[in-house]
Amino acid sequence: MAVLVQQADFDLAAELAQLGGSDGTAGAVISFTGLVRGDSDLHALELEHYPAMTTAALEQIEQAARKRWGLVDVRIIHRFGRLELGAQIMMVAVSAPHRRAAFEAADYIMDYLKSRAPFWKKEHSTQGTAWVDAKLEDEDDLARWSS
Amino acid sequence: MSLNVVYFAWLRERIGEPSEMIETNAPTVAALVTELRAREERYDLAFSDLDAVRVAVDQTLVDFDAPLDGVREVAFFPPMTGG
């Protein structure tokens, strides 16, 4: 399975070691890892998701990227539950024959994860708790790929 | 028909439960929302700004005019914030 939705942490190096392409088919590997950043006294994020929908939504994004850029392999891991400051939230790794395809595919997958993967973030800070609002730019980011 | 209606994030908090079975003849998502809003104030408040609400039927994102014929599960939630 190239898509994992889990509470547990992950080991990026171990995931990259499992990524297909080291048999000579890939010329480029790109990975992105999202971390819990400590803005405005934030000390933890709580991620809620829609279990019945999440994996299918991520697989749909993965398939679209594979097809569009002819990727060799893709691995997506997205965590849920309470994540403390500095914790890894998610990762995307892609391998492709060429560099530009790998960069673009990773960027595309991230844009879609932001606003089409059924996760919701709640911030825990010294001020209390607040749901993170989606940004208008998130939709603009998606529009970049519709050409 | 009997629908499983699920809520996430602040919609879940405002309505006060993660899911419920609802008996309805509403032909569309929009009609279901109108029915729910007429029920109790907590629903009315939760659905007062539909620009801030997204909906999925049987785990697929749809618009509010989507039909409910044959649908088993309707999910309401704010715009997603993954990644």
Side-chain angles (χ1 to χ4, degrees):
Chain A
M1 282 288 286
V3 165
L4 294 169
V5 180
Q6 62 188 43
Q7 199 153 10
D9 201 4
F10 54 84
D11 176 352
L12 179 64
E15 296 303 326
L16 288 177
Q18 287 188 61
L19 188 73
S22 57
D23 55 354
T25 49
V29 170
I30 293 293
S31 78
F32 173 90
T33 308
L35 306 177
V36 179
R37 184 185 58 229
D39 289 352
S40 54
D41 304 323
L42 182 136
H43 54 81
L45 275 185
E46 197 180 315
L47 273 89
E48 181 170 328
H49 75 122
Y50 183 2
M53 179 176 174
T54 316
T55 303
L58 296 181
E59 283 174 351
Q60 211 172 2
I61 296 168
E62 180 209 338
Q63 289 306 321
R66 275 183 188 268
K67 197 173 158 199
R68 182 160 174 172
W69 283 280
L71 303 176
V72 177
D73 200 11
V74 180
R75 288 183 82 77
I76 301 173
I77 299 180
H78 207 305
R79 299 178 67 193
F80 60 89
R82 186 185 163 99
L83 301 174
E84 306 298 323
L85 200 67
Q88 302 188 116
I89 304 168
M90 49 72 58
M91 59 146 275
V92 169
V94 305
S95 54
H98 300 287
R99 161 181 62 100
R100 197 166 308 280
F103 272 115
E104 284 185 7
D107 199 16
Y108 169 97
I109 291 169
M110 283 311 305
D111 280 347
Y112 274 82
L113 283 181
K114 279 271 169 211
S115 42
R116 292 295 182 272
F119 288 92
W120 300 275
K121 294 191 182 104
K122 191 182 209 178
E123 295 179 340
H124 290 252
S125 73
T126 47
Q127 328 291 325
T129 62
W131 289 101
V132 175
D133 284 326
K135 297 186 189 75
L136 283 175
E137 302 95 89
D138 294 344
E139 289 300 318
D140 295 343
D141 285 341
L142 289 194
R144 291 196 294 148
W145 303 106
S146 57
S147 55
Chain B
M1 67 184 152
S2 196
L3 274 183
N4 186 37
V5 181
V6 294
Y7 309 103
F8 293 98
W10 57 257
L11 273 135
R12 172 179 53 73
E13 291 178 341
R14 279 185 208 173
I15 286 162
E17 43 208 333
S19 69
E20 56 188 329
M21 290 304 291
I22 287 179
E23 282 301 323
T24 179
N25 291 314
T28 62
V29 172
L32 174 65
V33 170
T34 304
E35 270 187 30
L36 289 171
R37 291 190 68 175
R39 273 185 159 197
E40 281 179 53
E41 200 182 357
R42 59 192 169 115
Y43 293 96
D44 194 33
L45 283 173
F47 290 108
S48 59
D49 177 12
L50 287 186
D51 284 343
V53 179
R54 299 290 179 269
V55 58
V57 299
D58 291 337
Q59 298 88 45
T60 299
L61 275 178
V62 293
D63 293 323
F64 281 86
D65 59 4
L68 290 180
D69 191 34
V71 167
R72 291 170 163 220
E73 185 166 282
V74 177
F76 293 105
F77 40 79
M80 304 173 204
T81 52

